[in-house]
């Protein structure tokens, strides 16, 4: 072979292409990414001997897919990648992709294994239910086009994810599936019209008429085999070429064997024909997959609805407030600081703040809260919410990836592409099961050949078909997808793949207090100045110190102080303790008594004792001379807290209150809620240690918290729930985000998670029970091929329908 020719396919190598693959210790030149991917796969799987023993060259992917490969180079352009690729480091990138051609869990496994072996690819996760892929790679070692080329080389297509493209592919899948199902159904009915007279004739039909019936049945079966069944054979051939066994291998073997045997019997005019069984089996299998596909796409409705919330255009007010005229602009072109007019009934185009107008916003899809939220000047509005009543003028604050809606969608994407342990286990079992099934089929065929050769073929076909583990592969991912969609609709956003399963198994629920069990909307109840400054001066200094803090206590102080604040310099925050800063050259501290008074070494004033025992939150302002003022901050319990704690305890879960607040405050809150286990005055490090201590005893800990202080402990817990209004860091560390901040939605979410785990177990038990019952019956010859098709399709459909029950949940 010439050095200027591709070592894999023999085609000429373009001048600007350098894609070597090491084969048998020597670098071999390839002509395109497709040949490189296939050759590398052959070498990686220990099949390099193929190149020494082959007697013909394969078709070049470059010749077979010129249009595809030509387009792939576009994906390496930086501007093109902006919408779907994130930079994670100097050269590490992560892309959100949509895969076309996925038909079963084995397709997921094949793509993950194939792409994961590419040099430079650091991670690849694909979700079966959503067909979404998250791929990470090192830009210095491999380009995105190389990855997409490798996917295309094994028969799949990958696109940048966007809602419109996903909807287009879904429509295409439904249309193709419906046509294949229609052809199979029509062929089945027509073939049965010719098969039925032969059955009832019971041998009395003349040979020429029976031959005519067979030939007519063959002609009607051909479209079913070559069109309706094409995906089965295509996928099976791809799996076998890569020396892997997928779900379509036993199906293709069963259908192909029955058809070839029937074709031979028709040609030689001797033996049995199974055209009726073949067409009926294909029809029922395609029908089951079509229903499963529709159920899957329906379950993803909430995610897709979120992706479509933002409008394409906005009414920008370029000269507001001087001129109230508007111009229609593309939402993507809006910038922070722009003013937009949102008319009644319109969707808010970006995150912002109301500067004019009074109305209500419908945030149901964003938070799960069905009641409209009142909005007045100064209130924030979220992009994607609907202005329900009257026009509003909104000043844009966040656009694009910085919006709350974008963050929600990104978190949902992260959850969709992560594969829970329970799904991986089911996939491994299914893969092993298929291999064992093929071995059993060989043994059955051999055994029946010696017992009754006339029955060997159709019994073997029945064994291959009836026990194909499609239901086993569907059992877990479809249930988790349905559950995640239902939880999001209720305002509880799933951000990690394992979250639902772990929440259902949690034995200990650990709650922070402020902003979690309480509303977090604190207010200043009282001020006591103890030195030479007035109460108003002390409040202003305290608010200046807390200017950059997100803690609810800081917000209460800032609200009480107003806008005219002194300037704080050299601000130093001590998480869980307080803040230190310089104001006019004088050092101040505000926070817990021990922390604030450590600046001077002076003891706590006697006036503070009564306040500290009141059960309210008390913070102290101090300088190098001692205590300057005491602030009493009040908070209120969320009205849903008591019902949540009661339900957890009734379900046998251990409830723990873990807070950095004073013991008196913690005991008061715990007493009102009925929590027996209270640990107060705990630092962030102490919270982390407490959760580790519980985990060491075998506890499965669910942590519910809010704020920066809770980020470490949220990350340590097996499953964590962050309040939707908490700090950004806490939200990114959590497995769930309670967008509505309504604890009733968390209570209902706990019920739904437990129901999901129960239904997953039901699905798995049904899948195993079905196969254990169906396999012996098929081996014994009690299951015909068409009945096997019904059984397999019905088992998969039952799993899907059972999973859809997760959407129905009684609420009180």
């Amino acid at each position: 072979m010439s050095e200027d020719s591709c070592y894999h396919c023999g085609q000429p190598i373009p001048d600007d292409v350098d894609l070597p693959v090491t084969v048998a210790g020597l670098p071999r030149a390839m002509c395109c990414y497709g040949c490189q991917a296939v050759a590398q796969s052959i070498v990686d799987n220990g099949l390099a001997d193929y190149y020494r023993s082959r007697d013909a060259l394969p078709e070049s992917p470059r010749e077979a897919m010129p249009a595809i490969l030509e387009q792939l180079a576009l994906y390496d352009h930086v501007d093109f990648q902006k919408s779907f690729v994130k930079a994670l480091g100097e050269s590490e990138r992560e892309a959100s992709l949509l895969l076309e051609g996925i038909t079963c869990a084995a397709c997921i496994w094949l793509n993950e294994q194939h792409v994961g072996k590419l040099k430079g690819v650091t991670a690849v996760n694909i979700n079966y239910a959503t067909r979404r892929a998250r791929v990470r790679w090192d830009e210095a070692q491999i380009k995105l086009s190389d990855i997409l080329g490798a996917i295309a080389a094994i028969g799949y297509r990958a696109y940048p994810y966007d809602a419109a493209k996903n909807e287009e592919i879904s429509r295409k899948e439904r249309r193709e599936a419906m046509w294949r199902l229609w052809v199979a159904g029509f062929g089945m009915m027509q073939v049965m019209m010719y098969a039925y007279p032969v059955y009832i004739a019971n041998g009395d039909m003349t040979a020429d008429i029976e031959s005519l019936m067979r030939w007519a049945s063959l002609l009607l079966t051909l479209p079913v085999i070559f069109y309706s069944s094409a995906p089965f054979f295509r996928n099976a051939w791809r799996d076998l070429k890569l020396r892997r066994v997928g779900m379509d291998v036993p199906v293709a073997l069963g259908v192909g064997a029955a058809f070839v045997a029937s074709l031979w019997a028709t040609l030689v005019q001797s033996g049995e024909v199974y055209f009726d069984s073949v067409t009926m089996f294909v029809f029922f299998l395609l029908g089951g997959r079509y229903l499963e596909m529709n159920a899957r796409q329906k379950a993803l409705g909430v995610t897709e609805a979120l992706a479509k919330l933002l409008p394409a255009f906005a009414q920008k007010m370029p000269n507001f407030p001087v001129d109230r005229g508007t111009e229609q602009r593309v939402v993507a072109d809006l910038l922070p600081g722009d003013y937009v007019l949102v008319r009644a009934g319109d969707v808010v185009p970006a995150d912002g703040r109301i500067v004019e107008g009074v109305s209500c916003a419908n945030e149901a899809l964003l938070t799960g809260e069905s009641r409209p939220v009142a909005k007045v000047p100064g209130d924030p509005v979220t992009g994607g919410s609907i202005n329900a009543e009257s026009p509003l003028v909104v000043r844009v604050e966040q656009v694009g990836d910085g919006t709350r809606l974008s963050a929600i969608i990104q978190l949902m994407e992260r959850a969709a592409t992560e594969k829970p342990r329970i799904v991986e286990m089911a996939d491994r079992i299914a893969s092993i099961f298929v291999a064992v099934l093929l071995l059993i089929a060989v043994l059955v065929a051999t055994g029946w050949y010696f017992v009754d050769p006339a029955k060997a073929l159709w019994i073997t076909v029945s064994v291959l078909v009836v026990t194909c583990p499609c239901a086993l592969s569907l059992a877990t991912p479809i249930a988790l997808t349905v559950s995640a969609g239902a939880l999001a609709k209720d305002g509880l956003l799933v951000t990690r793949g394992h979250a639902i399963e772990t929440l259902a198994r949690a034995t200990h629920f650990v709650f922070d207090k402020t902003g979690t069990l309480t509303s977090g909307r604190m207010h200043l109840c009282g001020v006591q100045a103890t030195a030479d400054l007035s109460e108003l001066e002390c409040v202003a200094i305290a608010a200046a110190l807390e200017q950059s803090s997100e803690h609810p206590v800081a917000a209460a102080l800032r609200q009480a102080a107003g806008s005219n604040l002194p300037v704080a310099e050299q601000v130093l925050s001590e998480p869980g303790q307080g803040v230190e800063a310089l104001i006019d050259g004088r050092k101040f501290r505000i926070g817990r008594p021990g922390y604030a008074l450590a600046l001077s070494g002076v003891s706590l004033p006697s006036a503070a004792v009564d306040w500290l025992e009141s059960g309210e939150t008390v913070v102290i302002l101090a300088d190098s001379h001692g205590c300057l003022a005491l602030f009493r901050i009040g908070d209120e319990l969320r009205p849903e807290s008591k019902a949540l704690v009661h339900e957890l305890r009734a379900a046998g879960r251990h409830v723990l209150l873990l807070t950095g607040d004073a013991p008196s405050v913690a005991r008061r809150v715990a007493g009102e809620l009925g929590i027996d286990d209270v640990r107060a005055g705990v630092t962030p490090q102490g919270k982390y240690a407490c959760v580790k201590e519980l985990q060491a005893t075998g506890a499965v800990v669910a942590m519910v918290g809010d704020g920066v202080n809770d980020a470490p402990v949220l990350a340590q817990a097996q499953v964590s729930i962050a309040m939707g209004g908490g700090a950004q860091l806490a939200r990114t560390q959590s497995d769930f985000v309670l967008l509505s901040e309504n604890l009733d939605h968390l209570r209902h979410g706990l019920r739904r998670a437990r129901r999901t785990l129960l239904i997953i177990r039901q699905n798995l038990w049904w899948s195993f029970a079905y196969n254990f019952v169906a396999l012996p019956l098929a081996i014994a010859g009690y299951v015909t091929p068409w009945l096997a098709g019904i059984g397999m399709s019905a088992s998969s459909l039952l799993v899907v329908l059972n999973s859809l029950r997760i959407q129905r949940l009684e609420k009180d």
Side-chain angles (χ1 to χ4, degrees):
M1 186 179 293
S2 168
E3 293 182 358
D4 296 330
S5 301
C6 177
Y7 188 74
H8 180 73
C9 71
Q11 296 290 331
I13 298 176
D15 294 335
D16 57 343
V17 172
D18 182 22
L19 299 171
V21 173
T22 301
V23 181
L26 296 174
R28 305 293 188 179
M30 303 291 160
C31 67
C32 65
Y33 294 123
C35 283
Q36 183 193 43
V38 174
Q40 190 66 56
S41 178
I42 289 172
V43 173
D44 291 344
N45 286 280
L47 304 175
D49 286 343
Y50 159 80
Y51 289 108
R52 286 194 291 269
S53 59
R54 65 181 177 179
D55 54 7
L57 293 173
E59 182 183 16
S60 168
R62 179 163 57 96
E63 297 296 324
M65 305 184 299
I68 296 174
L69 296 174
E70 200 173 301
Q71 293 172 3
L72 295 183
L74 297 173
Y75 292 103
D76 294 330
H77 198 281
V78 175
D79 291 334
F80 191 76
Q81 292 183 357
K82 284 181 180 179
S83 63
F84 68 100
V85 175
K86 291 190 298 184
L88 302 179
E90 186 176 343
S91 62
E92 189 174 21
R93 302 289 184 269
E94 180 179 284
S96 180
L97 302 174
L98 182 66
L99 291 187
E100 184 179 9
I102 299 295
T103 60
C104 67
C107 297
I108 303 296
W109 183 85
L110 170 61
N111 277 276
E112 288 181 340
Q113 295 296 313
H114 185 69
V115 176
K117 290 179 180 178
L118 297 176
K119 184 180 179 182
V121 174
T122 56
V124 53
N125 292 293
I126 305 171
N127 182 275
Y128 170 72
T130 63
R131 276 49 171 174
R132 299 277 290 280
R134 186 177 61 180
V135 182
R136 276 187 198 172
W137 72 96
D138 186 345
E139 188 77 11
Q141 299 184 56
I142 190 171
K143 295 185 179 299
L144 179 59
S145 59
D146 301 343
I147 298 171
L148 299 181
I151 294 172
I154 57 173
Y156 298 88
R157 296 286 301 275
Y159 306 92
Y161 176 79
D162 70 76
K165 186 66 178 178
N166 187 34
E167 189 172 342
E168 178 188 336
I169 291 176
S170 296
R171 281 199 305 267
K172 180 181 176 184
E173 285 182 347
R174 287 195 301 270
R175 186 169 58 251
E176 288 185 356
M178 178 58 76
W179 272 109
R180 294 185 194 278
L181 179 62
W182 186 88
V183 170
F186 182 80
M188 177 192 69
M189 289 187 294
Q190 296 303 310
V191 169
M192 287 301 296
M193 288 176 60
Y194 291 104
Y196 183 69
V198 177
Y199 289 146
I200 64 173
N202 198 21
D204 294 336
M205 185 176 288
T206 61
D208 57 338
I209 296 298
E210 185 173 347
S211 176
L212 178 62
M213 296 293 186
R214 289 188 175 198
W215 280 103
S217 297
L218 170 61
L219 292 174
L220 289 165
T221 304
L222 288 176
V224 178
I225 292 294
F226 291 103
Y227 176 67
S228 296
S229 301
F232 304 142
F233 294 107
R234 184 170 57 244
N235 296 338
W237 177 242
R238 178 195 61 222
D239 292 339
L240 293 174
K241 281 197 302 182
L242 295 169
R243 302 189 67 180
R244 298 182 175 103
V245 180
M247 299 295 170
D248 286 326
V249 171
V251 173
L253 285 174
V255 173
F259 175 74
V260 169
S262 302
L263 175 63
W264 178 254
T266 302
L267 292 174
V268 302
Q269 294 297 304
S270 176
E272 297 291 331
V273 295
Y274 305 99
F275 295 124
D276 54 336
S277 294
V278 168
T279 54
M280 192 177 297
F281 161 62
V282 172
F283 172 74
F284 284 122
L285 179 57
L286 290 175
R289 289 195 175 183
Y290 180 76
L291 293 173
E292 178 267 319
M293 178 181 63
N294 280 339
R296 171 173 51 81
Q297 291 179 357
K298 180 182 178 183
L300 296 172
V302 175
T303 307
E304 301 307 325
L306 283 173
K308 298 181 210 173
L309 274 182
L310 285 183
F313 299 99
Q315 298 299 318
K316 181 180 176 181
M317 306 177 75
N319 299 315
F320 183 86
V322 177
D323 182 4
R324 305 182 64 84
T326 63
E327 298 177 358
Q328 183 168 277
R329 294 289 178 88
V330 177
V331 168
D333 292 338
L334 292 178
L335 298 173
D338 287 346
Y339 291 90
V340 294
L341 175 66
V342 185
R343 298 187 176 94
D346 285 355
V347 177
V348 179
D351 290 2
R353 198 166 294 275
I354 298 173
V355 296
E356 186 179 288
V358 176
S359 186
C360 290
N362 184 339
E363 301 176 348
L365 269 177
L366 292 168
T367 66
E369 185 59 62
S370 58
R371 291 173 297 183
V373 180
K375 298 292 181 180
V376 298
D379 285 349
V381 287
T382 304
S385 59
I386 301 172
N387 179 22
E389 292 183 353
S390 56
L392 296 173
V393 177
V394 175
R395 185 179 186 273
V396 175
E397 293 183 342
Q398 296 288 345
V399 296
D401 290 342
T403 62
R404 179 180 172 87
L405 177 60
S406 178
I408 291 172
I409 292 172
Q410 288 175 16
L411 290 173
M412 293 184 77
E413 288 176 359
R414 183 177 72 184
T417 52
E418 288 186 352
K419 186 172 291 187
R421 183 179 53 194
I422 193 171
V423 174
E424 292 179 344
M425 180 184 68
D427 287 349
R428 284 195 300 269
I429 293 173
S431 179
I432 295 170
F433 191 91
V434 171
V436 173
L437 171 61
L438 294 177
L439 178 61
I440 291 173
V442 172
L443 296 175
V444 169
T446 304
W448 273 100
Y449 179 79
F450 290 106
V451 174
D452 187 350
K455 295 182 178 179
L457 177 63
W458 69 262
I459 289 177
T460 304
V461 171
S462 297
V463 169
L464 286 169
V465 170
V466 78
T467 54
C468 184
C470 294
L472 178 60
S473 296
L474 282 172
T476 302
I478 194 69
L480 291 175
T481 301
V482 171
S483 182
L487 288 168
K489 193 174 180 180
D490 281 348
L492 185 59
L493 184 66
V494 182
T495 72
R496 296 285 185 188
H498 72 90
I500 296 173
E501 175 198 357
T502 312
L503 181 63
R505 294 189 297 105
T507 59
H508 289 61
F509 282 80
V510 180
F511 289 91
D512 179 41
K513 180 185 75 70
T514 305
T516 304
L517 293 174
T518 63
S519 65
R521 291 185 291 271
M522 293 189 169
H523 58 278
L524 185 61
C525 299
V527 182
Q528 189 174 39
T530 59
D532 57 340
L533 297 175
S534 68
E535 291 184 357
L536 290 177
E537 290 174 320
C538 289
V539 171
I541 293 171
L545 292 174
E546 298 279 19
Q547 189 67 28
S548 59
S549 174
E550 295 187 27
H551 197 281
V553 169
L557 289 168
R558 291 196 300 269
Q559 183 179 9
S563 57
N564 295 322
L565 302 178
V567 178
E569 300 175 325
Q570 300 181 24
V571 178
L572 179 64
S573 177
E574 184 73 26
Q577 298 293 328
V579 179
E580 177 185 298
L582 289 177
I583 295 179
D584 294 333
R586 184 176 174 183
K587 184 178 288 188
F588 293 94
R589 276 189 180 182
I590 186 169
R592 298 176 63 180
Y595 169 77
L597 295 175
L599 189 62
S600 63
V602 178
S603 60
L604 188 70
S606 57
V609 175
D610 291 341
W611 276 22
L612 290 173
E613 292 178 351
S614 68
E616 301 287 356
T617 297
V618 176
V619 293
I620 286 180
L621 175 67
D623 64 2
S624 58
H625 300 292
C627 177
L628 298 176
L630 293 86
F631 304 97
R632 191 171 70 211
I633 311 295
D635 193 7
E636 57 183 11
L637 285 174
R638 294 184 186 274
E640 324 90 43
S641 299
K642 188 172 293 186
L644 173 60
V645 171
H646 175 76
E647 185 160 315
L648 287 172
R649 295 189 62 182
R653 305 302 194 264
H654 184 87
V655 180
L656 168 66
L657 177 59
L658 191 62
T659 178
D661 284 352
S664 57
V665 179
R667 284 195 298 269
R668 177 180 65 83
V669 171
E672 291 184 36
L673 295 177
I675 300 176
D676 299 325
D677 194 350
V678 183
R679 305 185 193 185
V682 185
T683 63
Q685 293 80 8
K687 292 181 181 181
Y688 180 87
C690 178
V691 168
K692 287 197 70 173
E693 180 184 333
L694 290 173
Q695 291 170 332
T697 65
V700 178
V701 178
M703 176 71 197
V704 188
D706 174 73
V708 174
N709 293 349
D710 296 325
V713 70
L714 285 169
Q716 175 61 29
Q718 281 100 330
V719 61
S720 53
I721 303 102
M723 306 301 286
Q728 180 65 31
L729 180 58
R731 289 202 292 273
T732 56
Q733 292 287 342
S734 64
D735 304 309
F736 290 95
V737 178
L738 187 58
L739 296 171
S740 64
E741 298 194 50
N742 185 336
L743 291 179
D744 275 343
H745 292 165
L746 175 57
R747 183 162 58 91
H748 298 147
L750 291 169
R751 293 182 190 174
R752 201 180 297 277
R754 290 194 290 267
R755 185 181 180 89
T756 301
L757 197 58
L758 174 64
I759 284 179
I760 288 174
R761 288 171 178 159
Q762 290 173 353
N763 288 347
L764 292 173
W765 275 111
W766 161 252
S767 301
F768 285 119
Y770 163 76
N771 283 291
F772 283 130
V773 171
L775 183 57
L777 292 175
I779 293 173
Y782 292 111
V783 180
T784 60
W786 67 268
L787 189 58
I790 294 177
M792 196 193 77
S793 301
S795 66
S796 299
L797 185 57
L798 181 63
V799 163
V800 173
L801 294 177
N802 191 42
S803 300
L804 290 176
R805 292 172 51 230
I806 296 171
Q807 295 176 330
R808 299 192 298 272
L809 185 73
E810 291 185 7
K811 300 178 182 179
D812 50 31

